[in-house]
Amino acid sequence: MPLDRRSLLVTVQMTGGVVTAAGLPVTLSFQGWVDMGPVIAWAVGLGLLVIAGGVGLDALRLRHSRYRVGPERAELRSGILFAKHRHLSRERIRSVDLVAHPLLRLLGLVEVRIGTGEQSSAQEATLELRPVRRAEGERLRRELLGRAGPDAASDAEGTIAALDLRWIRYAPLSFVTSALAAATGGAVMQVSEWFGVQEEVIERVGDAFRGMSVPGIVLALVAGALAAGSVGALGLWTAMWWNYRLDREPGGTLRVRRGLLTTRSVSLEEARLRGVDVVEPLGLRLSGAARVDAVATGLSRRDEEDHAGPSTLLPAAPRRLADDVAARVLREPVTPTAAKLTAHPRAARARRIRWAVSAALAPALVLLLLGALLEVPVLAYAGAGVAVVLVPVAVALARDAYRSLGHALTADYLVVRSGTLRRSTVALRRGGVIGWSVKQSVLQRRAGLVTLSATTAAGAQAYAAYDVDEAEGLAFAEETVPGLLGPFLERQAP
């Protein structure tokens, strides 16, 4: 079957947008140097030529692209200079995701991404149909994921979670806010340079802060950047999570739909689910919120095009709701991520305090050393100030990191927790553990500690219990999957 030829309209609009965004600053940069008439004529001519070239290439792509879904495999023929014939066996297909940016939505089209979920940088693990009609995309999704049977409706279980606009209050608490805040100043200076008003912007900023002390100027700039970052984080959250919905569909499939401008539909078969990960970045944890990620096979990291990857089942929401969603996703009456965890030895806390203090003192010692060598007292004072500020913060974070450590076993799940800036509580099905990695450094050996990592074919491939008591940790691993680690353990004679 051919792809939809209305893709040409999308190509015209997208190529035109790129040409305008790239050509406008360049064209305006000639203002005041030469006569703008010929410059504008050349710019328009080159822009039209680029647009025509893009449309021509896309027309050739559509002409040489055909797809077919048979009883045994899905096929895609493509290529302009070199013909390609790629196919995926139906039994290997693990995901059929639908993506539609605003121009595709306007025309009733979607991109269909058929994947095996293999962690490969090559494109052999994915077939991309760009674009097809939305109805055709939905048909392919149902057919390839095996939910088109006549009795499928009896398995429907409805909505697990849906968008609550109150969740938007958590958007500024993510690390995205600080990243956007850091980029704000650079973006302002870059845009002002494009339009030739950079000096004027600098002068106005200087006039606004005239008479203020240096600390006041720093605080004002930081507050302004954070305010801009918060606005950006709110916009990004809205674009990603608008119309969010998590459903359990007929046939035992979890489906996440979301997006304001670009809509996404990600399907996850429950047969591939090995557990869940309740993630609490520091800002969310302090506000009592968390998000829920799936620990599943067949989720390719290449598909993570934004801050919400294909594994995210629930955005930042109240922790109680996150636990409830995790339980419903796992079909458990109570989520295993809320199980009571075994605390780790105090030696683990001492290790973290030593690491944190060392990291905090390193820049302070560098400044003190430079101050002494260069005979600049200001550097020495700065080093002392850095130590006074950073050491208490580092110790507090280290103690929190220790309190976050824990592990537990339930009837069906292995639970491990760790992290402070990003605390993660993973509940992994015991049947999904395929091996153990045991690591012990020299310092860990002296303290009687060991780090155990449960390896699995799903998610991050390994989930660790850090700095566990050696004897307790090995017994824990043996109890999780009896007989897996036992043959490699040395047992003392009674």
Side-chain angles (χ1 to χ4, degrees):
M1 295 180 63
L3 301 176
D4 199 291
R5 296 192 64 81
R6 285 179 293 176
S7 171
L8 297 176
L9 297 177
V10 177
T11 301
V12 170
Q13 297 181 56
M14 294 191 68
T15 308
V18 171
V19 167
T20 302
L24 185 60
V26 174
T27 303
L28 292 176
S29 66
F30 286 95
Q31 190 172 8
W33 295 87
V34 296
D35 184 9
M36 291 300 294
V39 172
I40 293 175
W42 273 100
V44 172
L46 289 174
L48 293 176
L49 184 61
V50 171
I51 293 173
V55 172
L57 288 175
D58 195 38
L60 289 174
R61 178 186 69 86
L62 292 174
R63 182 177 180 181
H64 292 86
S65 297
R66 294 290 187 275
Y67 71 93
R68 181 176 63 180
V69 176
E72 296 183 357
R73 60 187 181 182
E75 303 175 67
L76 174 63
R77 295 179 182 271
S78 61
I80 299 175
L81 297 178
F82 302 97
K84 299 179 183 179
H85 181 198
R86 297 165 50 216
H87 60 85
L88 298 178
S89 173
R90 290 279 294 266
E91 63 183 13
R92 292 178 56 215
I93 293 175
R94 295 292 180 266
S95 64
V96 181
D97 301 333
L98 310 181
V99 180
H101 54 71
L103 298 180
L104 290 179
R105 292 174 61 189
L106 186 64
L107 298 172
L109 304 175
V110 295
E111 295 180 7
V112 181
R113 300 175 182 176
I114 306 169
T116 64
E118 297 176 357
Q119 305 295 322
S120 172
S121 58
Q123 296 183 350
E124 284 75 9
T126 304
L127 297 183
E128 296 189 1
L129 310 182
R130 299 181 291 116
V132 298
R133 293 178 181 271
R134 175 170 290 277
E136 172 68 2
E138 292 286 352
R139 184 191 70 81
L140 291 172
R141 191 183 70 86
R142 290 192 300 268
E143 180 179 347
L144 291 173
L145 294 181
R147 293 189 298 276
D151 298 328
S154 62
D155 295 330
E157 296 193 18
T159 300
I160 296 177
L163 177 67
D164 186 337
L165 289 178
R166 290 175 294 181
W167 300 349
I168 197 173
R169 68 182 184 271
Y170 300 121
L173 302 178
S174 68
F175 292 113
V176 174
T177 299
S178 56
L180 293 175
T184 299
V188 170
M189 298 306 294
Q190 183 64 62
V191 173
S192 63
E193 183 180 4
W194 285 346
F195 290 93
V197 295
Q198 189 177 80
E199 294 184 0
E200 182 179 350
V201 169
I202 295 175
E203 290 178 0
R204 290 193 176 186
V205 171
D207 292 339
F209 293 109
R210 195 179 305 277
M212 292 181 61
S213 63
V214 173
I217 294 175
V218 172
L219 290 176
L221 290 176
V222 170
L226 288 176
S230 298
V231 172
L234 291 171
L236 184 61
W237 187 96
T238 303
M240 289 193 302
W241 294 108
W242 193 257
N243 289 327
Y244 159 80
R245 192 179 187 90
L246 171 62
D247 296 311
R248 175 172 280 118
E249 293 192 327
T253 296
L254 299 171
R255 185 183 187 186
V256 178
R257 285 174 283 189
R258 59 182 176 84
L260 176 62
L261 301 177
T262 298
T263 59
R264 302 181 186 277
S265 169
V266 180
S267 299
L268 171 63
E269 296 171 315
E270 289 186 85
R272 296 157 46 202
L273 190 65
R274 298 293 179 268
V276 296
D277 185 3
V278 177
V279 182
E280 303 169 274
L282 183 59
L284 295 182
R285 179 152 55 97
L286 293 176
S287 63
R291 79 167 192 265
V292 179
D293 290 352
V295 178
T297 61
L299 289 177
S300 174
R301 296 293 177 182
R302 294 196 309 114
D303 295 334
E304 296 191 5
E305 296 181 352
D306 49 32
H307 297 279
S311 63
T312 302
L313 300 178
L314 178 73
R319 175 60 194 262
R320 181 177 299 179
L321 176 62
D323 286 335
D324 179 63
V325 168
R328 295 183 64 185
V329 165
L330 297 175
R331 297 181 183 268
E332 297 287 340
V334 178
T335 176
T337 56
K340 183 177 180 180
L341 302 180
T342 300
H344 290 195
R346 290 182 177 273
R349 180 178 64 181
R351 280 170 54 82
R352 276 150 184 77
I353 291 177
R354 286 196 296 270
W355 293 340
V357 172
S358 299
L361 288 178
L365 291 176
V366 170
L367 289 173
L368 288 171
L369 182 61
L370 289 176
L373 293 177
L374 301 177
E375 298 183 354
V376 180
V378 174
L379 292 178
Y381 296 147
V386 167
V388 170
V389 173
L390 291 186
V391 169
V393 173
V395 171
L397 290 176
R399 294 175 65 89
D400 181 70
Y402 168 72
R403 287 192 297 268
S404 295
L405 293 177
H407 63 278
L409 279 181
T410 67
D412 298 315
Y413 292 89
L414 154 72
V415 183
V416 292
R417 188 179 71 186
S418 63
T420 181
L421 297 180
R422 180 189 182 276
R423 190 165 76 177
S424 170
T425 306
V426 177
L428 180 65
R429 284 201 176 104
R430 295 166 71 170
V433 178
I434 60 177
W436 286 97
S437 173
V438 183
K439 296 182 180 180
Q440 188 178 48
S441 67
V442 174
L443 296 179
Q444 281 181 310
R445 190 178 303 119
R446 292 178 59 185
L449 303 176
V450 68
T451 294
L452 292 168
S453 297
T455 58
T456 179
Q461 314 298 313
Y463 295 94
Y466 297 97
D467 290 337
V468 188
D469 177 79
E470 183 175 0
E472 180 183 335
L474 296 177
F476 170 73
E478 174 63 12
E479 184 182 357
T480 301
V481 185
L484 184 60
L485 187 62
F488 303 96
L489 298 179
E490 293 183 2
R491 305 181 187 276
Q492 294 182 352

